[in-house]
Amino acid sequence: MKRTWLVTGGAGFIGANFVHHLLDHHPDDRVVVYDKLTYAGNLDNLRDRMADPRFAFVHADICDRAAVEAAVDGHGVDTIANFAAETHVDRSIVAPDAFIHTDVLGTHTLLEVARERRLRYHQVSTDEVYGHVPDGASTEADPIAPRSPYAASKAAGDLLVNAYFVTYGLHTTITRGSNNIGPYQYPEKVVSLFATNAIDDLPLPVYGDGRQERDYQWVGDHCEAIDLVVRRGQPGDVFNVGTGTSITNLEMVELILEALGKPASLIRHVEDRPGHDRRYALDVSKLQALGWRPRHTPQAAIVRAVEWYAANPWWWRPIKSGAFREYYEQMYGQRKEIAVGPGAAPA
Ligand code: NAD
Ligand code: TYD
């Protein structure tokens, strides 16, 4: 079935990769990117798609109901895929308001427009809604137990989506993805930050002991999963999306340094993030039963991501020399270096 998509947050990292995926794989689909262009939104992420007759761009906020309605009605949208969000945990610790605004109220606004028009609605969510997972792997049936303001705002979005399915019979689906990496990731997230820092021989600020675990997945694999879930998911379905393998941050850092031929002396252990979830891990068997398989291990995804940043300084250099500098100073300037290892106080 051909679709006309409203891809909210389509100028951000995963949303833009999803737009590339749709235009490459579904020649009859049309795509309307709807984006507020916050610090994380960047039309450079879509620069080779702007002239495609199947593509349109709307500059607006998902909390602005009239603007959402105008975009949906004006373009004949039948499917909303909501990628728009405030997404960085560290920013949510310093300033949570925008997270509640966009991730909760924005999701509600989109759901209302979808409910009135009986649109297909897909919510892009995160493994962080499950909270810290000391052992084993989260299944979709597990309770959600978010611990950061970011994770709580995303969990609230998930609960609203489920309520619209149960109460109004809206055809909703949710995907809960693990950490994505790849092209066009704003260099505040760890792999894009560390790759671009290491290229410039700048320090890599590892939080605490670096033994936290994440399931780093290739963004293109995640996009394929979302596409499949929108086409094949049943109303109310929730799917985890990840490789099913979590690795430590220290392993991730070593892979980045090795791929770039840089020394371990760039590593700095710094004060930990407050409330840092030490481990996320996903059971992805439900999605695999739908026929999806990740094409990359975390290790392969990290190396491929680093290669992209090494080959595409045109994309990240302007970002890192702009307002990002102020952010970096605020986030890392006061952060004390700490000692880790045998004999050191616990991180
Ligand atoms: P991002 O921060 O790179 O991009 C977010 C986009 O949303 C930006 O283009 C921004 O301008 C836009 N936006 C923000 N507020 C908006 C608003 N009020 N109205 C309209 N547009 C707005 O984010 P990302 O990493 O691409 O994440 C996309 C989605 O995937 C988010 O919902 C996030 O929670 C989820 N997710 C991300 C990851 C990850 O590893 N990055 C993992 C799992 C799930
Ligand atoms: P991040 O990319 O912020 O994703 P999330 O916290 O949403 O999983 O961080 C990934 C991991 O890397 C997480 O354990 C925190 C850690 N991290 C650092 O050690 N240093 C950093 O500068 C950043 C940004 C993250």
Side-chain angles (χ1 to χ4, degrees):
M1 170 190 155
K2 69 178 179 186
R3 293 181 180 275
T4 300
W5 300 76
L6 191 75
V7 180
T8 58
F13 163 50
I14 308 175
N17 277 282
F18 187 67
V19 170
H20 288 272
H21 167 88
L22 287 179
L23 293 174
D24 287 344
H25 292 92
H26 300 289
D28 295 330
D29 284 11
R30 292 191 298 130
V31 178
V32 181
V33 166
Y34 183 104
D35 201 294
K36 185 181 175 181
L37 297 180
T38 67
Y39 77 93
N42 184 352
L43 291 178
D44 274 353
N45 302 355
L46 298 163
R47 70 172 184 174
D48 52 343
R49 306 296 173 154
M50 305 295 264
D52 190 318
R54 297 170 297 155
F55 176 89
F57 177 69
V58 176
H59 184 193
D61 189 327
I62 58 167
C63 301
D64 180 344
R65 181 162 178 169
V68 176
E69 288 174 345
V72 165
D73 296 340
H75 291 277
V77 164
D78 50 53
T79 305
I80 296 179
N82 180 27
F83 295 77
E86 289 292 334
T87 61
H88 193 41
V89 173
D90 291 323
R91 289 184 194 256
S92 85
I93 293 168
V94 178
D97 294 28
F99 289 73
I100 309 306
H101 184 74
T102 292
D103 304 5
V104 185
L105 298 178
T107 298
H108 174 245
T109 305
L110 296 174
L111 284 166
E112 275 293 289
V113 174
R115 173 172 78 89
E116 276 184 358
R117 291 160 179 73
R118 309 310 292 173
L119 307 179
R120 177 76 174 83
Y121 184 90
H122 181 76
Q123 177 78 353
V124 181
S125 185
T126 166
D127 60 358
E128 304 196 24
V129 299
Y130 296 116
H132 167 59
V133 184
D135 43 41
S138 305
T139 74
E140 293 83 353
D142 285 353
I144 53 179
R147 291 158 31 100
S148 72
Y150 164 64
S153 71
K154 292 297 294 184
D158 283 17
L159 293 175
L160 283 168
V161 172
N162 189 54
Y164 274 64
F165 158 63
V166 172
T167 308
Y168 305 115
L170 192 66
H171 187 162
T172 63
T173 43
I174 298 174
T175 43
R176 294 186 178 143
S178 65
N179 292 58
N180 280 228
I181 57 176
Y184 310 120
Q185 184 167 38
Y186 192 83
E188 63 189 353
K189 306 291 192 312
V190 75
V191 169
S192 48
L193 175 67
F194 283 11
T196 54
N197 274 12
I199 288 167
D200 283 345
D201 298 308
L202 295 171
L204 311 185
V206 171
Y207 294 162
D209 63 6
R211 298 196 185 280
Q212 307 86 0
E213 292 180 37
R214 295 290 185 272
D215 178 348
Y216 293 100
Q217 68 170 321
W218 182 248
V219 63
D221 293 344
H222 186 207
C223 290
E224 285 184 15
I226 293 169
D227 187 12
L228 182 69
V229 167
V230 171
R231 291 171 204 277
R232 301 265 309 281
Q234 297 303 305
D237 261 347
V238 181
F239 290 93
N240 292 338
V241 188
T243 72
T245 307
S246 296
I247 65 169
T248 68
N249 286 336
L250 284 178
E251 285 176 79
M252 172 269 295
V253 175
E254 279 161 19
L255 284 162
I256 292 174
L257 292 172
E258 196 184 323
L260 291 169
K262 298 288 181 176
S265 56
L266 289 179
I267 296 173
R268 301 278 189 288
H269 288 273
V270 297
E271 284 173 310
D272 208 346
R273 170 188 281 173
H276 196 167
D277 288 338
R278 276 191 82 77
R279 181 171 180 270
Y280 300 134
L282 287 178
D283 180 324
V284 294
S285 49
K286 184 174 173 190
L287 184 61
Q288 291 193 334
L290 215 59
W292 176 87
R293 294 284 180 281
R295 297 179 195 273
H296 301 75
T297 60
Q299 291 83 354
I302 289 165
V303 172
R304 190 169 173 193
V306 170
E307 286 169 355
W308 190 85
Y309 289 93
N312 291 282
W314 70 271
W315 183 83
W316 56 267
R317 281 213 182 277
I319 297 173
K320 286 191 95 173
S321 59
F324 178 86
R325 279 192 182 177
E326 207 177 303
Y327 161 80
Y328 199 77
E329 179 53 32
Q330 186 199 9
M331 198 58 76
Y332 296 94
Q334 306 297 321
R335 220 167 191 131
K336 290 195 184 59
E337 207 172 318
I338 57 164
V340 296

